[in-house]
Coordinates of all heavy atoms in Angstrom, one line a residue:
M1 N 10.3 -11.3 2.6 CA 9.3 -11.2 3.6 C 8.6 -12.5 3.8 O 8.7 -13.4 3.0 CB 8.2 -10.1 3.2 CG 8.6 -8.7 3.2 SD 8.9 -8.1 4.8 CE 9.8 -6.7 4.5
G2 N 7.9 -12.7 4.9 CA 7.3 -13.9 5.2 C 5.9 -14.1 4.7 O 5.2 -15.0 5.1
V3 N 5.5 -13.3 3.8 CA 4.1 -13.3 3.2 C 4.1 -14.3 2.0 O 5.0 -14.2 1.1 CB 3.6 -11.9 2.7 CG1 2.2 -12.1 2.1 CG2 3.6 -11.0 3.9
N4 N 3.1 -15.2 2.0 CA 3.1 -16.2 1.0 C 2.0 -15.9 -0.1 O 1.2 -16.7 -0.4 CB 2.8 -17.6 1.6 CG 3.2 -18.7 0.6 OD1 3.9 -18.5 -0.3 ND2 2.7 -19.9 0.9
I5 N 2.0 -14.6 -0.5 CA 1.1 -14.2 -1.6 C 1.9 -13.6 -2.7 O 2.8 -12.8 -2.6 CB 0.1 -13.0 -1.0 CG1 -0.7 -13.6 0.1 CG2 -0.7 -12.4 -2.1 CD1 -1.6 -12.5 0.7
K6 N 1.5 -14.1 -3.9 CA 2.2 -13.6 -5.2 C 1.1 -12.9 -6.0 O 0.2 -13.5 -6.6 CB 2.8 -14.7 -5.9 CG 3.4 -14.3 -7.3 CD 4.6 -13.5 -7.1 CE 5.3 -13.2 -8.4 NZ 6.2 -12.1 -8.3
P7 N 1.1 -11.5 -6.1 CA 0.1 -10.8 -6.9 C 0.2 -11.2 -8.4 O 1.3 -11.5 -8.8 CB 0.4 -9.4 -6.7 CG 1.3 -9.3 -5.5 CD 2.0 -10.6 -5.4
L8 N -0.9 -11.2 -9.1 CA -0.9 -11.6 -10.5 C -0.9 -10.3 -11.3 O -1.3 -9.2 -10.9 CB -2.2 -12.4 -10.8 CG -2.3 -13.7 -10.1 CD1 -3.7 -14.3 -10.4 CD2 -1.2 -14.6 -10.4
S9 N -0.4 -10.4 -12.5 CA -0.4 -9.4 -13.6 C 0.2 -8.1 -13.0 O 1.4 -8.1 -12.6 CB -1.9 -9.2 -14.0 OG -1.9 -8.3 -15.1
D10 N -0.5 -7.0 -13.1 CA 0.1 -5.7 -12.7 C -0.4 -5.3 -11.3 O -0.4 -4.1 -10.9 CB -0.4 -4.6 -13.7 CG -1.8 -4.4 -13.7 OD1 -2.6 -5.3 -13.3 OD2 -2.3 -3.3 -14.2
R11 N -0.6 -6.3 -10.4 CA -1.1 -6.0 -9.1 C 0.1 -6.0 -8.1 O 1.1 -6.6 -8.3 CB -2.1 -7.0 -8.6 CG -3.4 -6.7 -9.3 CD -4.5 -7.7 -8.9 NE -5.8 -7.4 -9.5 CZ -6.1 -7.7 -10.8 NH1 -5.2 -8.4 -11.5 NH2 -7.3 -7.4 -11.2
V12 N -0.1 -5.2 -7.0 CA 1.0 -5.0 -6.0 C 0.4 -5.2 -4.6 O -0.7 -4.8 -4.3 CB 1.5 -3.5 -6.1 CG1 2.6 -3.3 -5.1 CG2 2.1 -3.3 -7.5
L13 N 1.1 -5.9 -3.7 CA 0.7 -6.1 -2.3 C 1.4 -5.0 -1.5 O 2.7 -5.0 -1.5 CB 1.0 -7.5 -1.9 CG 0.6 -7.8 -0.5 CD1 -0.9 -7.9 -0.4 CD2 1.2 -9.1 0.0
I14 N 0.7 -4.3 -0.7 CA 1.2 -3.2 0.1 C 0.8 -3.3 1.5 O -0.3 -3.7 1.8 CB 0.7 -1.8 -0.5 CG1 1.2 -1.6 -1.9 CG2 1.1 -0.7 0.4 CD1 0.7 -0.4 -2.6
E15 N 1.8 -3.1 2.4 CA 1.5 -3.0 3.8 C 1.4 -1.5 4.2 O 2.4 -0.8 4.2 CB 2.6 -3.7 4.7 CG 2.3 -3.7 6.1 CD 3.4 -4.4 6.9 OE1 4.4 -4.9 6.3 OE2 3.2 -4.5 8.2
P16 N 0.2 -1.0 4.5 CA 0.0 0.4 4.9 C 0.8 0.7 6.1 O 0.9 -0.1 7.0 CB -1.5 0.5 5.2 CG -2.1 -0.7 4.5 CD -1.1 -1.8 4.6
M17 N 1.3 2.0 6.1 CA 2.1 2.5 7.3 C 1.0 3.0 8.2 O -0.1 3.3 7.9 CB 3.0 3.6 6.9 CG 4.1 3.1 6.0 SD 5.3 4.4 5.7 CE 6.6 3.5 5.0
A18 N 1.4 3.0 9.5 CA 0.5 3.5 10.6 C 0.0 4.9 10.3 O 0.8 5.7 9.8 CB 1.1 3.4 11.9
A19 N -1.2 5.2 10.6 CA -1.8 6.6 10.5 C -1.1 7.5 11.5 O -0.6 7.1 12.5 CB -3.3 6.5 10.8
E20 N -1.0 8.7 11.1 CA -0.3 9.7 12.0 C -1.1 9.9 13.3 O -2.3 9.9 13.3 CB -0.3 11.1 11.3 CG 0.6 11.1 10.0 CD 2.0 10.9 10.3 OE1 2.5 11.5 11.3 OE2 2.7 10.3 9.5
T21 N -0.4 9.9 14.4 CA -1.0 10.1 15.7 C -0.9 11.5 16.2 O -1.5 11.9 17.2 CB -0.4 9.1 16.7 OG1 1.0 9.3 16.8 CG2 -0.7 7.7 16.3
K22 N 0.0 12.3 15.6 CA 0.2 13.7 16.0 C 0.3 14.6 14.8 O 0.9 14.2 13.8 CB 1.6 13.6 16.8 CG 1.7 14.8 17.8 CD 2.8 14.5 18.9 CE 4.2 14.8 18.4 NZ 5.1 14.7 19.5
T23 N -0.2 15.8 15.0 CA -0.1 16.8 13.9 C 1.3 17.4 13.9 O 2.1 17.2 14.8 CB -1.1 17.9 14.1 OG1 -0.8 18.6 15.3 CG2 -2.5 17.4 14.1
A24 N 1.6 18.2 12.8 CA 2.9 18.8 12.7 C 3.1 19.8 13.9 O 4.3 20.0 14.3 CB 3.0 19.5 11.4
S25 N 2.1 20.3 14.4 CA 2.2 21.3 15.5 C 2.2 20.6 16.9 O 2.3 21.3 17.9 CB 1.1 22.3 15.4 OG -0.2 21.7 15.6
G26 N 2.1 19.3 16.9 CA 2.2 18.6 18.2 C 0.9 18.1 18.8 O 0.9 17.6 19.9
L27 N -0.2 18.4 18.2 CA -1.5 18.0 18.8 C -1.7 16.5 18.5 O -1.4 16.0 17.4 CB -2.6 18.8 18.2 CG -2.6 20.3 18.4 CD1 -3.7 21.0 17.6 CD2 -2.7 20.6 19.9
Y28 N -2.3 15.8 19.5 CA -2.5 14.4 19.3 C -3.9 14.2 18.6 O -4.8 14.9 18.9 CB -2.5 13.6 20.6 CG -1.1 13.4 21.1 CD1 -0.5 14.3 22.0 CD2 -0.3 12.4 20.7 CE1 0.8 14.2 22.4 CE2 1.0 12.2 21.1 CZ 1.5 13.1 22.0 OH 2.8 13.0 22.4
I29 N -4.0 13.3 17.7 CA -5.2 13.0 16.9 C -5.9 11.8 17.5 O -5.3 10.7 17.7 CB -4.9 12.7 15.4 CG1 -4.1 13.8 14.8 CG2 -6.1 12.4 14.6 CD1 -3.5 13.5 13.4
P30 N -7.2 12.0 17.9 CA -7.9 10.8 18.5 C -8.2 9.8 17.4 O -8.2 10.1 16.2 CB -9.2 11.4 19.0 CG -9.3 12.7 18.3 CD -8.0 13.2 17.9
D31 N -8.3 8.5 17.9 CA -8.6 7.4 16.9 C -9.7 7.7 16.0 O -9.7 7.3 14.8 CB -8.8 6.1 17.7 CG -7.5 5.6 18.3 OD1 -6.4 6.0 17.9 OD2 -7.6 4.8 19.3
T32 N -10.8 8.3 16.5 CA -12.0 8.5 15.7 C -11.7 9.6 14.5 O -12.5 9.6 13.6 CB -13.1 9.0 16.5 OG1 -12.7 10.2 17.3 CG2 -13.6 7.9 17.5
A33 N -10.7 10.4 14.7 CA -10.4 11.4 13.6 C -9.3 11.0 12.7 O -9.0 11.8 11.8 CB -10.2 12.7 14.4
K34 N -8.6 9.9 12.9 CA -7.5 9.6 12.1 C -7.9 9.3 10.7 O -9.0 8.6 10.4 CB -6.8 8.3 12.7 CG -6.0 8.6 13.9 CD -5.2 7.4 14.4 CE -4.5 7.7 15.7 NZ -4.0 6.5 16.3
E35 N -7.1 9.7 9.7 CA -7.4 9.4 8.3 C -6.8 8.1 7.9 O -5.8 7.7 8.5 CB -6.8 10.5 7.4 CG -7.5 11.9 7.8 CD -7.7 12.7 6.5 OE1 -7.4 12.2 5.4 OE2 -8.3 13.8 6.7
K36 N -7.3 7.5 6.9 CA -6.7 6.3 6.3 C -5.3 6.6 5.9 O -5.1 7.6 5.2 CB -7.5 5.8 5.1 CG -8.7 4.9 5.5 CD -9.4 4.4 4.3 CE -8.8 3.3 3.6 NZ -9.5 2.7 2.5
P37 N -4.3 5.7 6.1 CA -3.0 6.0 5.6 C -3.0 6.0 4.1 O -3.7 5.2 3.5 CB -2.2 4.9 6.2 CG -3.1 3.8 6.6 CD -4.4 4.5 6.9
Q38 N -2.1 6.8 3.5 CA -2.0 6.8 2.1 C -0.6 6.5 1.7 O -0.2 6.8 0.5 CB -2.4 8.2 1.5 CG -3.9 8.5 1.7 CD -4.2 9.9 1.3 OE1 -3.6 10.8 1.7 NE2 -5.3 10.0 0.5
R39 N 0.2 5.9 2.5 CA 1.5 5.6 2.3 C 1.8 4.1 2.8 O 1.2 3.7 3.8 CB 2.4 6.6 3.1 CG 3.9 6.3 3.1 CD 4.6 7.3 3.9 NE 5.3 8.2 3.1 CZ 6.1 9.1 3.4 NH1 6.2 9.4 4.7 NH2 6.8 9.8 2.6
G40 N 2.6 3.4 2.1 CA 2.8 2.0 2.5 C 4.1 1.5 1.9 O 4.7 2.1 1.0
K41 N 4.4 0.3 2.3 CA 5.6 -0.4 1.8 C 5.2 -1.6 0.9 O 4.3 -2.3 1.2 CB 6.4 -1.0 3.0 CG 7.7 -1.6 2.6 CD 8.4 -2.1 3.9 CE 9.7 -2.8 3.5 NZ 10.4 -3.3 4.6
V42 N 5.8 -1.7 -0.3 CA 5.5 -2.7 -1.2 C 6.1 -4.0 -0.7 O 7.3 -4.1 -0.4 CB 6.1 -2.4 -2.6 CG1 5.9 -3.5 -3.6 CG2 5.5 -1.1 -3.2
I43 N 5.3 -5.0 -0.5 CA 5.6 -6.3 0.0 C 5.9 -7.3 -1.1 O 6.8 -8.1 -1.1 CB 4.6 -6.9 1.0 CG1 4.3 -5.9 2.1 CG2 4.9 -8.3 1.5 CD1 5.5 -5.6 3.0
A44 N 5.0 -7.3 -2.2 CA 5.1 -8.2 -3.3 C 4.6 -7.6 -4.6 O 3.8 -6.7 -4.5 CB 4.4 -9.5 -3.0
V45 N 5.2 -7.9 -5.7 CA 4.8 -7.3 -7.0 C 4.6 -8.4 -8.0 O 5.3 -9.4 -8.0 CB 6.0 -6.5 -7.5 CG1 5.7 -5.9 -8.8 CG2 6.4 -5.4 -6.5
G46 N 3.5 -8.2 -8.8 CA 3.2 -9.2 -9.9 C 4.2 -9.1 -11.0 O 5.1 -8.3 -11.0
S47 N 4.0 -9.9 -12.0 CA 5.0 -10.0 -13.1 C 4.8 -8.9 -14.2 O 5.6 -8.7 -15.1 CB 4.9 -11.3 -13.8 OG 3.6 -11.6 -14.2
G48 N 3.7 -8.2 -14.1 CA 3.4 -7.1 -15.1 C 2.5 -7.7 -16.2 O 2.2 -8.8 -16.3
K49 N 2.2 -6.8 -17.1 CA 1.4 -7.1 -18.3 C 2.3 -7.4 -19.5 O 3.5 -7.1 -19.5 CB 0.4 -6.0 -18.6 CG -0.8 -5.9 -17.6 CD -1.8 -4.9 -18.1 CE -3.0 -4.9 -17.2 NZ -3.9 -3.9 -17.6
K50 N 1.7 -7.9 -20.6 CA 2.4 -8.2 -21.8 C 3.4 -7.1 -22.3 O 4.5 -7.4 -22.5 CB 1.5 -8.6 -22.9 CG 2.1 -9.1 -24.1 CD 1.1 -9.4 -25.2 CE 1.7 -9.7 -26.5 NZ 0.8 -9.9 -27.6
D51 N 2.9 -5.9 -22.4 CA 3.7 -4.8 -22.9 C 4.0 -3.8 -21.9 O 4.3 -2.6 -22.2 CB 2.9 -4.1 -24.1 CG 2.6 -5.0 -25.2 OD1 3.5 -5.9 -25.5 OD2 1.6 -4.9 -25.9
H52 N 4.0 -4.2 -20.6 CA 4.3 -3.2 -19.5 C 5.0 -3.9 -18.4 O 4.5 -4.8 -17.7 CB 2.9 -2.7 -19.0 CG 3.1 -1.8 -17.8 ND1 3.5 -0.5 -17.9 CD2 2.8 -2.0 -16.5 CE1 3.6 0.0 -16.7 NE2 3.1 -0.9 -15.8
D53 N 6.3 -3.5 -18.2 CA 7.1 -4.0 -17.0 C 6.6 -3.2 -15.8 O 6.3 -2.0 -15.9 CB 8.6 -3.8 -17.3 CG 9.1 -4.6 -18.4 OD1 8.5 -5.8 -18.6 OD2 10.0 -4.2 -19.1
M54 N 6.8 -3.8 -14.7 CA 6.5 -3.1 -13.4 C 7.5 -2.1 -13.0 O 8.7 -2.3 -13.2 CB 6.3 -4.2 -12.3 CG 5.3 -5.2 -12.5 SD 3.6 -4.5 -12.6 CE 3.3 -4.4 -10.8
T55 N 7.0 -0.9 -12.5 CA 7.9 0.2 -12.1 C 8.3 0.0 -10.7 O 9.5 0.3 -10.3 CB 7.2 1.5 -12.3 OG1 6.7 1.6 -13.7 CG2 8.1 2.7 -12.0
V56 N 7.4 -0.4 -9.8 CA 7.7 -0.5 -8.4 C 8.4 -1.9 -8.1 O 8.2 -2.8 -8.9 CB 6.5 -0.3 -7.5 CG1 5.9 1.0 -7.7 CG2 5.4 -1.4 -7.8
K57 N 9.1 -2.0 -7.0 CA 9.7 -3.2 -6.6 C 9.5 -3.4 -5.1 O 9.2 -2.5 -4.4 CB 11.2 -3.2 -7.0 CG 12.0 -2.2 -6.4 CD 13.4 -2.2 -6.9 CE 14.3 -1.1 -6.4 NZ 13.9 0.2 -6.3
E58 N 9.8 -4.6 -4.7 CA 9.6 -5.0 -3.3 C 10.5 -4.1 -2.4 O 11.6 -3.8 -2.8 CB 10.0 -6.4 -3.0 CG 9.0 -7.4 -3.6 CD 9.3 -8.8 -3.4 OE1 10.1 -9.1 -2.5 OE2 8.8 -9.7 -4.1
G59 N 10.0 -3.5 -1.3 CA 10.7 -2.7 -0.4 C 10.5 -1.2 -0.7 O 10.8 -0.4 0.2
D60 N 9.9 -0.8 -1.8 CA 9.7 0.6 -2.1 C 8.6 1.1 -1.2 O 7.7 0.4 -0.8 CB 9.1 0.8 -3.6 CG 10.2 0.7 -4.6 OD1 11.4 0.7 -4.3 OD2 9.9 0.6 -5.8
T61 N 8.7 2.4 -0.8 CA 7.7 3.1 -0.1 C 6.9 3.9 -1.1 O 7.5 4.7 -1.9 CB 8.3 4.0 1.0 OG1 9.1 3.2 1.9 CG2 7.2 4.8 1.8
V62 N 5.6 3.8 -1.1 CA 4.8 4.4 -2.2 C 3.6 5.2 -1.5 O 3.2 5.0 -0.4 CB 4.2 3.3 -3.1 CG1 5.3 2.6 -3.9 CG2 3.3 2.3 -2.4
L63 N 3.1 6.1 -2.3 CA 1.9 6.9 -2.0 C 0.8 6.4 -3.0 O 1.0 6.1 -4.1 CB 2.1 8.4 -2.3 CG 3.2 9.1 -1.4 CD1 3.3 10.5 -1.8 CD2 2.8 9.0 0.1
Y64 N -0.4 6.2 -2.4 CA -1.5 5.7 -3.2 C -2.8 6.5 -2.8 O -2.8 7.2 -1.8 CB -1.7 4.2 -3.0 CG -1.8 3.8 -1.6 CD1 -3.0 3.8 -0.9 CD2 -0.6 3.3 -0.9 CE1 -3.0 3.4 0.5 CE2 -0.7 2.9 0.4 CZ -1.9 3.0 1.1 OH -1.9 2.6 2.4
G65 N -3.8 6.4 -3.7 CA -5.1 7.1 -3.4 C -5.7 6.6 -2.2 O -5.6 5.5 -1.7
K66 N -6.5 7.5 -1.5 CA -7.1 7.2 -0.2 C -8.0 6.0 -0.3 O -8.1 5.2 0.7 CB -8.0 8.5 0.2 CG -8.5 8.3 1.6 CD -9.3 9.6 1.9 CE -8.4 10.5 2.8 NZ -9.1 11.7 3.3
Y67 N -8.7 5.8 -1.4 CA -9.7 4.7 -1.5 C -9.2 3.6 -2.5 O -10.0 2.9 -3.0 CB -11.1 5.2 -1.8 CG -11.5 6.2 -0.8 CD1 -11.6 7.5 -1.0 CD2 -11.9 5.7 0.5 CE1 -12.0 8.4 -0.1 CE2 -12.3 6.6 1.5 CZ -12.4 8.0 1.2 OH -12.8 8.9 2.1
S68 N -7.9 3.5 -2.7 CA -7.4 2.6 -3.7 C -7.3 1.2 -3.1 O -7.1 1.0 -1.9 CB -6.0 3.0 -4.1 OG -6.1 4.2 -4.8
G69 N -7.4 0.2 -3.9 CA -7.1 -1.2 -3.5 C -8.1 -1.9 -2.8 O -9.2 -1.3 -2.4
T70 N -7.9 -3.2 -2.5 CA -8.8 -4.0 -1.8 C -8.0 -4.4 -0.5 O -6.9 -4.9 -0.5 CB -9.1 -5.3 -2.6 OG1 -9.7 -4.9 -3.8 CG2 -10.0 -6.2 -1.8
E71 N -8.7 -4.2 0.7 CA -8.1 -4.6 1.9 C -8.2 -6.0 2.2 O -9.2 -6.7 1.9 CB -8.8 -3.8 3.1 CG -8.7 -2.3 2.9 CD -9.5 -1.6 4.0 OE1 -10.2 -2.2 4.8 OE2 -9.4 -0.3 4.0
L72 N -7.1 -6.6 2.8 CA -7.2 -8.0 3.2 C -6.3 -8.1 4.5 O -5.4 -7.3 4.7 CB -6.7 -8.9 2.1 CG -5.3 -8.8 1.6 CD1 -4.5 -10.0 2.0 CD2 -5.4 -8.7 0.0
K73 N -6.7 -9.1 5.3 CA -5.9 -9.4 6.5 C -5.4 -10.8 6.5 O -6.1 -11.7 6.1 CB -6.9 -9.2 7.7 CG -6.2 -9.3 9.0 CD -7.2 -8.9 10.1 CE -6.5 -8.2 11.2 NZ -7.1 -7.0 11.7
L74 N -4.1 -10.9 6.7 CA -3.4 -12.2 6.7 C -2.5 -12.3 7.9 O -1.7 -11.5 8.1 CB -2.6 -12.3 5.4 CG -1.9 -13.6 5.2 CD1 -2.9 -14.7 4.9 CD2 -0.9 -13.5 4.0
E75 N -2.8 -13.4 8.7 CA -2.0 -13.6 9.9 C -1.9 -12.4 10.8 O -0.9 -12.1 11.3 CB -0.6 -14.1 9.5 CG -0.6 -15.4 8.8 CD 0.7 -15.9 8.3 OE1 1.7 -15.2 8.6 OE2 0.8 -16.9 7.5
G76 N -3.0 -11.7 10.9 CA -3.1 -10.6 11.9 C -2.6 -9.3 11.3 O -2.6 -8.3 12.0
T77 N -2.1 -9.2 10.1 CA -1.5 -8.0 9.5 C -2.5 -7.5 8.4 O -2.9 -8.3 7.6 CB -0.1 -8.3 8.9 OG1 0.7 -8.8 10.0 CG2 0.5 -7.0 8.5
D78 N -2.7 -6.2 8.3 CA -3.5 -5.6 7.3 C -2.7 -5.4 6.0 O -1.6 -4.9 6.1 CB -4.2 -4.4 7.7 CG -5.2 -4.6 8.8 OD1 -5.9 -5.6 8.7 OD2 -5.3 -3.8 9.7
Y79 N -3.2 -5.7 4.9 CA -2.5 -5.4 3.6 C -3.6 -4.8 2.6 O -4.8 -4.9 2.8 CB -2.0 -6.7 3.0 CG -0.9 -7.4 3.8 CD1 -1.2 -8.5 4.6 CD2 0.4 -6.9 3.7 CE1 -0.2 -9.1 5.3 CE2 1.4 -7.5 4.4 CZ 1.1 -8.6 5.2 OH 2.1 -9.2 6.0
L80 N -3.0 -4.2 1.6 CA -3.8 -3.7 0.4 C -3.3 -4.4 -0.8 O -2.1 -4.5 -1.0 CB -3.7 -2.2 0.3 CG -4.5 -1.3 1.2 CD1 -4.0 0.1 1.0 CD2 -5.9 -1.4 1.0
I81 N -4.2 -4.8 -1.7 CA -3.7 -5.3 -3.0 C -4.4 -4.4 -4.0 O -5.5 -4.1 -4.0 CB -4.0 -6.8 -3.2 CG1 -3.3 -7.3 -4.4 CG2 -5.5 -7.0 -3.3 CD1 -3.1 -8.8 -4.5
M82 N -3.5 -3.8 -4.9 CA -4.0 -2.8 -5.9 C -3.3 -2.9 -7.2 O -2.2 -3.5 -7.3 CB -4.0 -1.4 -5.4 CG -2.6 -0.9 -5.1 SD -2.5 0.8 -4.4 CE -3.1 0.5 -2.8
R83 N -3.8 -2.4 -8.3 CA -3.1 -2.3 -9.5 C -2.0 -1.2 -9.4 O -2.1 -0.3 -8.7 CB -4.0 -1.9 -10.7 CG -5.1 -3.0 -10.9 CD -5.8 -2.7 -12.2 NE -6.8 -3.7 -12.5 CZ -6.5 -4.8 -13.2 NH1 -5.3 -5.1 -13.6 NH2 -7.4 -5.7 -13.4
E84 N -0.9 -1.4 -10.2 CA 0.2 -0.5 -10.1 C -0.3 0.9 -10.5 O 0.2 1.9 -10.0 CB 1.3 -1.0 -11.1 CG 2.5 -0.1 -10.9 CD 3.7 -0.4 -11.9 OE1 3.4 -0.8 -13.1 OE2 4.8 -0.4 -11.5
E85 N -1.2 1.0 -11.4 CA -1.7 2.3 -11.9 C -2.4 3.1 -10.8 O -2.5 4.4 -10.9 CB -2.7 2.2 -13.1 CG -3.9 1.5 -12.8 CD -4.8 1.2 -14.0 OE1 -4.2 1.0 -15.1 OE2 -6.0 1.1 -13.9
D86 N -2.8 2.5 -9.7 CA -3.4 3.2 -8.5 C -2.3 3.8 -7.6 O -2.6 4.5 -6.7 CB -4.3 2.3 -7.7 CG -5.5 1.8 -8.5 OD1 -5.9 2.6 -9.4 OD2 -6.1 0.8 -8.2
I87 N -1.0 3.5 -7.9 CA 0.0 4.0 -7.1 C 0.4 5.4 -7.7 O 0.6 5.5 -8.9 CB 1.3 3.1 -7.0 CG1 0.9 1.8 -6.3 CG2 2.5 3.8 -6.4 CD1 2.0 0.7 -6.4
L88 N 0.4 6.4 -6.8 CA 0.7 7.8 -7.3 C 2.2 8.1 -7.4 O 2.6 8.8 -8.3 CB 0.0 8.8 -6.4 CG -1.5 8.5 -6.1 CD1 -2.0 9.5 -5.1 CD2 -2.3 8.7 -7.4
A89 N 3.0 7.6 -6.5 CA 4.4 8.0 -6.5 C 5.2 7.0 -5.6 O 4.7 6.4 -4.7 CB 4.6 9.4 -5.9
I90 N 6.5 6.9 -5.9 CA 7.4 6.2 -5.1 C 8.2 7.3 -4.3 O 8.7 8.3 -4.8 CB 8.5 5.4 -5.9 CG1 7.7 4.4 -6.8 CG2 9.5 4.7 -5.1 CD1 8.6 3.7 -7.8
V91 N 8.2 7.1 -3.0 CA 8.8 8.1 -2.1 C 10.3 7.7 -1.8 O 10.6 6.6 -1.5 CB 8.1 8.2 -0.7 CG1 8.7 9.3 0.2 CG2 6.6 8.5 -1.0

C-alpha cells in the first residue's frame, strides 16, 4: 500500500470499511443514523511483542470493537490504529 506508517509493537493500522447504507430488507439508512463501521482492512502490522507473534497480516479483513483504536486521518483517508488484542476476528 502507499501508506508510510509502520505500527510499533503489537499495533495494527486498519482502514475502516464504509458504513452500511441499506438494511438487509432494502431500507436506506440516513447519514445521521449510520453506525460506526466495525469491519476494516489491515493496512500495516507491527512486529509484535517479545513473546507474542502477530496473528493478523496485511490485507486481512477484520472485525473490531465499536470504540476500539485511535482515529487518524492521513492524506484524506481515515484510519484506525489499535492493539491486536482489540481485534475480535479475522473474516
Side-chain angles (χ1 to χ4, degrees):
M1 292 287 166
V3 179
N4 198 17
I5 294 179
K6 178 66 176 167
L8 299 177
S9 188
D10 64 338
R11 289 180 175 80
V12 179
L13 183 69
I14 296 176
E15 183 177 2
M17 293 184 170
E20 295 294 321
T21 57
K22 202 159 85 169
T23 64
S25 60
L27 297 174
Y28 286 93
I29 302 170
D31 289 338
T32 55
K34 287 182 184 171
E35 299 221 357
K36 273 179 83 173
Q38 295 176 309
R39 176 183 249 183
K41 182 178 179 183
V42 176
I43 302 299
V45 178
S47 58
K49 289 186 174 180
K50 181 180 175 187
D51 296 328
H52 174 74
D53 292 329
M54 298 297 279
T55 307
V56 297
K57 60 187 180 310
E58 292 179 19
D60 283 348
T61 300
V62 295
L63 298 176
Y64 50 86
K66 188 178 262 187
Y67 302 106
S68 298
T70 301
E71 296 176 355
L72 60 112
K73 187 172 215 134
L74 182 68
E75 298 174 5
T77 305
D78 292 323
Y79 295 100
L80 284 171
I81 193 160
M82 66 181 69
R83 293 190 178 276
E84 185 184 40
E85 66 190 26
D86 293 334
I87 295 174
L88 306 174
I90 298 172
V91 182

